[in-house]
Amino acid sequence: MTQVLILLGAPGAGKGTQAARLCAARSLAHISTGDLFRENLKKETPLGKRAKGFMDAGQLVPDDLVLEMLFDRVAKPDCQRGYLLDGFPRTIPQAEALEKRLGKPARVTVLSLVVPEQVLIDRLTGRRTCKACNHIQHMLFSPPKVAGRCDKCGGELVQRSDDSLEVVKKRLDVYRAQTQPLEGFYSSRKLLLEIDGNRPEEQVFRDLERRAFGGEAA
Ligand code: AMP
C-alpha cells in the first residue's frame, strides 16, 4: 500500500526542512510543488513561464497547473512505495482532487506544523537558499560561516524573491484564506495530526516521526 504523508503549515513553518529529514529517514520521495515550480522557472519551461507571475506576487498558481504537474510527478517509479507532499495541497479543490486520485488503497497521514505568525515572518525574511544545492540557512539562526556562501557546498546564498517582507505578508494572507481551511477538511476525516513547530528542529523532527510512524522501524 502506498504511504502518503501530507505536511501542512504556513509558509515558514518548517515544512521544507522537516520534509527533507523525514524523507531521508524513511526512504520516501520528497515532492515539493514549490521546488517543482522553481525548477520550471529556472529552465524557463512553458509551465514555469505561466507560474512566474503568480509566484512573484505571493499568490497561488491556479489549481489546474498545479494538479497536472503534481500528478505527473507522483506517477514516477520513485513514488510507488510512498511519498511526502510538501506545499500541496494548498486549496480545498486540490485536496479533493488528490483524494479522488488516491482512492481507498493509500495510507494517508496529515501532519500540520503550527507556528505563531510573528515567528513565521522572522523566519521567512531571514531565510537564504543555496543556488547550487537548495540548502537553507538563516541570517540570524544559522548564519553562513562565509558571508553569502552555503555552509554545505560553498554555492551562492540568495533570498527567494518571494521572501521579501511585502510578499511574505501577502503569502500569509493567502495561506489564511485558502490553505488553512484544509485543517477542517482533514480533521473531519480524522486524518489531522497537529504538531508544535515552534521548537528546535530536532525536537520537531522527533515528534513528527513518532506521530507519523508510531514505533514502526525505519
Ligand atoms: P513554497 O515553496 O511551497 O512556499 O511555494 C512557492 C510558491 O509556489 C507559492 O507561493 C505558490 O505561488 C506556488 N505554489 C507552490 N505549491 C503550490 C500549490 N500546491 N498550489 C498553488 N501554488 C503553489
Side-chain angles (χ1 to χ4, degrees), residues 33-34 38 55 59-61 66 87-88 90 94 160 171:
T33 41
R38 280 184 289 277
M55 293 175 76
Q59 287 169 357
L60 295 183
V61 176
V66 184
F88 180 96
R90 286 271 233 288
Q94 288 181 17
R160 270 172 49 175
R171 288 164 67 201

Side-chain angles (χ1 to χ4, degrees), residues 9-12 15-16 32-38 41 51-63 65-67 69-70 86-91 94 124 127 160 162-163 167 171 174 178-179:
K15 296 188 300 294
S32 155
T33 41
D35 283 349
L36 291 174
F37 280 126
R38 280 184 289 277
L41 279 183
K52 184 174 172 13
F54 298 102
M55 293 175 76
D56 285 346
Q59 287 169 357
L60 295 183
V61 176
D63 288 338
L65 293 184
V66 184
L67 288 169
M69 175 181 78
L70 193 265
D86 161 11
F88 180 96
R90 286 271 233 288
T91 64
Q94 288 181 17
L124 288 168
R127 177 162 77 173
R160 270 172 49 175
D162 58 353
D163 279 345
V167 182
R171 288 164 67 201
V174 168
Q178 300 193 55
T179 307

